[in-house]
Amino acid sequence: MKLDYLENYNELNENLVRLYNFNKAEAIKFRDLLIEVVILKKQKLDLAQVDFIEPRNCNLILGLFKTDEGILTKDDYNFFCILTLQGFENMIRLIEPFCNKESRAHQYLYDIDNPTDLLFCPSAS
């Protein structure tokens, strides 16, 4: 699984943080890690510390917050995905189809009016 950042990817000043190039087994590992660390232990999940994720030009830290803010950054390298417990539970539901079978589809992991989206895409390269 790889992690990267695409700035202004669609000429509309919209940005994208992508988790991509993964298979069903890695989708399951990512889902389970989210459940264990963020939802159950209520701790931050730093993707640079995850052995099966290869950060390419950025890092993403996921953590709980009192409101759904989406992805924020100050330096276009360190990104913070801050969502409520319900926001992360919804993210788990959106990841689930990738855990059930191999897929070439993609899924945005939240729907918040924010300039940076989070894309889950097994087949992107």
Side-chain angles (χ1 to χ4, degrees):
M1 183 177 284
K2 295 181 181 180
L3 169 69
D4 73 2
Y5 170 64
L6 303 172
E7 185 176 16
N8 194 19
Y9 72 96
N10 62 1
E11 310 290 322
L12 299 172
N13 287 326
E14 293 178 332
N15 309 310
L16 198 59
V17 173
R18 286 190 305 181
L19 283 164
Y20 69 102
N21 195 25
F22 58 87
N23 58 25
K24 174 182 162 185
E26 287 177 321
I28 291 168
K29 285 167 50 172
F30 181 69
R31 178 204 59 199
D32 292 350
L33 199 56
L34 264 178
I35 292 169
E36 179 186 339
V37 175
V38 178
I39 293 177
L40 296 178
K41 292 182 179 175
K42 300 189 178 2
Q43 296 176 347
K44 291 178 183 155
L45 176 58
D46 183 344
L47 297 190
Q49 305 301 315
V50 178
D51 61 356
F52 65 90
I53 297 177
E54 177 189 336
R56 299 186 46 105
N57 64 349
C58 68
N59 186 33
L60 179 63
I61 298 170
L62 300 104
L64 290 170
F65 201 64
K66 60 184 180 282
T67 58
D68 287 318
E69 301 294 329
I71 291 181
L72 304 174
T73 186
K74 289 183 178 178
D75 61 8
D76 289 343
Y77 182 82
N78 293 295
F79 293 87
F80 301 88
C81 181
I82 52 178
L83 301 172
T84 60
L85 181 59
Q86 294 78 20
F88 279 109
E89 287 170 342
N90 186 56
M91 185 181 286
I92 298 299
R93 283 190 291 279
L94 295 171
I95 291 170
E96 197 63 41
F98 299 93
C99 300
N100 294 331
K101 65 176 185 166
E102 297 293 343
S103 175
R104 296 183 55 84
H106 66 274
Q107 178 66 55
Y108 289 94
L109 295 183
Y110 60 74
D111 184 19
I112 298 170
D113 187 16
N114 176 312
T116 305
D117 290 320
L118 179 56
L119 182 67
F120 200 65
C121 186
S123 61
S125 59

